[in-house]
Amino acid sequence: MKIIAFGIREDEQVAVDAWVAKHPDVQVDTTNELLTPETAPMAAGYDVVNILQAGVPVGEATLKQLADLGIHILTLRNVGTDDLDFEMLKKYNFHVSNVPRYSPNAIAEHAMIQMARLFRHMKQMDIKVYRHDLAWAPTIGREVRKQTIGIVGTGNIGRVAIQIAQGFGAKVIAYDKYQNPELAAKGLYVDTLDELLAQADGISLHVPGIPENHYLINPDSIAKMKDHAVIVNAGRGNLVDTDAVIAALDSGKLDGFAMDTYEDEGGLFNVDWAGQDFPDPRVADLITRENVIVSPHTAFYTWTASEEMVEQSLDAGLAFFNGETPEQVVKF
Ligand code: NAD
Ligand code: COI
């Protein structure tokens, strides 16, 4: 059996090598190229294609080529399936898996760290110190334990974010379309998103970027928030109407914004732009703001997560090849 893994980073290669050592009958070849219509021919002769795209879509132009090469197994090394065209996957008879649960702590702790940094004006402080300004003012902050933190989405990641926020001593409230019985028993849920928006000082998004969640944060929802709220988006870029957030930062309605995922991040994030202008003026502007923290979709980026993503995705490819249905199967 032969697997080709696209978009492999150096940290992932370590995990691939470890997996291959345990599966000597499987050949895994890797490339740092992403899967695109141009690179799809590289999959000739393989049984399984393994990818992590992060904003680079996989549509018919790619899938038809893979199907013509006799490949019908596509395994993702990440959670979000939003880069995939499911109509085309159906049309070309693909089996698909993702890694729905790899170290939710990686993302949850990143989100809660950024939330705490916003409350404590850490970016402003870092910039001041870097400029040799060691005066205290004006960076006086808000203690996290005195805040109400609203977690939107209480799946794998949201539930860990709740534990971390509680560790700070904050009052935590949560909203999910489907309540988790354990959290419900603890009385954490509010009944509507509007209630959460009205009560939270800090809002952290942990829902998928499915079409119905597009622009969950928009001018109307921002108007329902407390004055001086902060928002953290380590979910998906399309959850947030970026222009609406910028307007709310400009008006002073919002105190801060941490953006790990961005609606136009494909081709922008995970690229070294040092010495060049950003092709996206909106991000160029956000990065310079002292109350905005931009991270290039790195909430997941830990050794633990990387290893689990590679291992589980290669296991799933092997299972599909052997006619089994891996637990990570994506049903569509
Ligand atoms: P999950 O499926 O375990 O949980 C998602 C939860 O959101 C579910 O409980 C679901 O009921 C709820 N939900 C969906 N739409 C909702 C809505 N409109 N209102 C309220 N609740 C809603 O997913 P997860 O593993 O916790 O991951 C959440 C998201 O985090 C992923 O979909 C992905 O987009 C994102 N993610 C980001 C990174 C990163 O590096 N920034 C890494 C992994 C995942
Ligand atoms: C995911 O796993 O869905 C992520 O957001 C992380 C990734 C795209 C590297």
Side-chain angles (χ1 to χ4, degrees), residues 9 12 52-55 76-83 98-100 102 107 157 234-236 260-261 265 270 297-301 309:
R9 307 178 307 269
E12 292 180 304
L52 193 163
Q53 294 293 105
L76 270 60
R77 303 195 294 279
N78 64 305
V79 181
T81 54
D82 35 306
D83 295 324
N98 67 344
V99 186
Y102 61 83
I107 301 97
I157 297 169
R236 274 294 178 270
D260 185 60
T261 53
E265 72 183 53
N270 200 14
H297 207 140
T298 46
F300 83 100
Y301 196 39
M309 293 160 94

Side-chain angles (χ1 to χ4, degrees), residues 78-82 99-104 106-107 110 151-159 175-180 189 193 205-210 212-213 216 233-237 239 260-261 297-301 309:
N78 64 305
V79 181
T81 54
D82 35 306
V99 186
R101 201 188 141 80
Y102 61 83
S103 190
I107 301 97
H110 185 279
I151 303 293
V152 183
T154 57
N156 294 316
I157 297 169
R159 290 201 300 278
Y175 172 67
D176 198 299
K177 288 192 298 187
Y178 305 100
Q179 298 195 353
N180 173 287
Y189 284 109
L193 179 61
L205 305 175
H206 301 288
V207 297
I210 50 178
E212 67 179 270
N213 288 343
L216 201 66
N233 182 16
R236 274 294 178 270
L239 300 175
D260 185 60
T261 53
H297 207 140
T298 46
F300 83 100
Y301 196 39
M309 293 160 94

Side-chain angles (χ1 to χ4, degrees), residues 51-327:
I51 60 170
L52 193 163
Q53 294 293 105
V56 175
V58 178
E60 180 162 27
T62 300
L63 295 172
K64 182 177 182 320
Q65 290 191 64
L66 297 183
D68 288 346
L69 292 169
I71 300 168
H72 297 278
I73 301 174
L74 183 67
T75 63
L76 270 60
R77 303 195 294 279
N78 64 305
V79 181
T81 54
D82 35 306
D83 295 324
L84 305 182
D85 183 335
F86 283 105
E87 284 310 306
M88 293 305 131
L89 286 163
K90 230 182 268 176
K91 179 174 169 185
Y92 293 108
N93 296 316
F94 272 85
H95 296 289
V96 180
S97 64
N98 67 344
V99 186
R101 201 188 141 80
Y102 61 83
S103 190
N105 298 60
I107 301 97
E109 73 180 28
H110 185 279
M112 291 303 105
I113 287 168
Q114 299 296 52
M115 172 123 4
R117 291 184 71 212
L118 289 172
F119 286 136
R120 297 299 299 268
H121 305 303
M122 295 291 195
K123 179 174 175 187
Q124 191 181 18
M125 178 70 81
D126 288 345
I127 291 171
K128 267 166 46 62
V129 170
Y130 186 72
R131 290 182 187 142
H132 296 195
D133 174 358
L134 302 186
W136 293 350
T139 55
I140 189 163
R142 294 189 252 173
E143 287 182 30
V144 184
R145 72 186 170 106
K146 297 281 190 181
Q147 310 305 310
T148 298
I149 295 183
I151 303 293
V152 183
T154 57
N156 294 316
I157 297 169
R159 290 201 300 278
V160 179
I162 289 172
Q163 289 168 3
I164 296 171
Q166 287 174 330
F168 273 111
K171 175 179 176 191
V172 180
I173 56 174
Y175 172 67
D176 198 299
K177 288 192 298 187
Y178 305 100
Q179 298 195 353
N180 173 287
E182 227 171 274
L183 296 180
K186 291 181 182 156
L188 256 83
Y189 284 109
V190 292
D191 292 330
T192 63
L193 179 61
D194 284 359
E195 280 177 70
L196 182 142
L197 300 178
Q199 292 176 36
D201 300 293
I203 295 158
S204 193
L205 305 175
H206 301 288
V207 297
I210 50 178
E212 67 179 270
N213 288 343
H214 185 78
Y215 283 2
L216 201 66
I217 302 301
N218 56 52
D220 284 349
S221 54
I222 292 172
K224 290 171 186 160
M225 292 175 193
K226 285 175 86 166
D227 288 344
H228 309 300
V230 304
I231 302 174
V232 176
N233 182 16
R236 274 294 178 270
N238 70 337
L239 300 175
V240 170
D241 175 348
T242 314
D243 287 333
V245 166
I246 290 173
L249 290 165
D250 288 343
S251 73
K253 169 78 183 174
L254 289 178
D255 257 11
F257 178 45
M259 178 175 103
D260 185 60
T261 53
Y262 171 54
E263 54 182 310
D264 295 328
E265 72 183 53
L268 178 73
F269 284 2
N270 200 14
V271 174
D272 182 355
W273 296 100
Q276 300 172 61
D277 288 336
F278 282 123
D280 185 320
R282 194 162 57 174
V283 170
D285 164 52
L286 284 168
I287 282 173
T288 61
R289 293 175 183 240
E290 294 191 340
N291 59 350
V292 175
I293 311 173
V294 176
S295 49
H297 207 140
T298 46
F300 83 100
Y301 196 39
T302 67
W303 286 104
T304 307
S306 171
E307 192 182 311
E308 292 178 8
M309 293 160 94
V310 166
E311 257 184 37
Q312 290 190 42
S313 66
L314 293 177
D315 283 347
L318 183 56
F320 277 135
F321 183 77
N322 289 332
E324 296 157 13
T325 303
E327 68 180 81

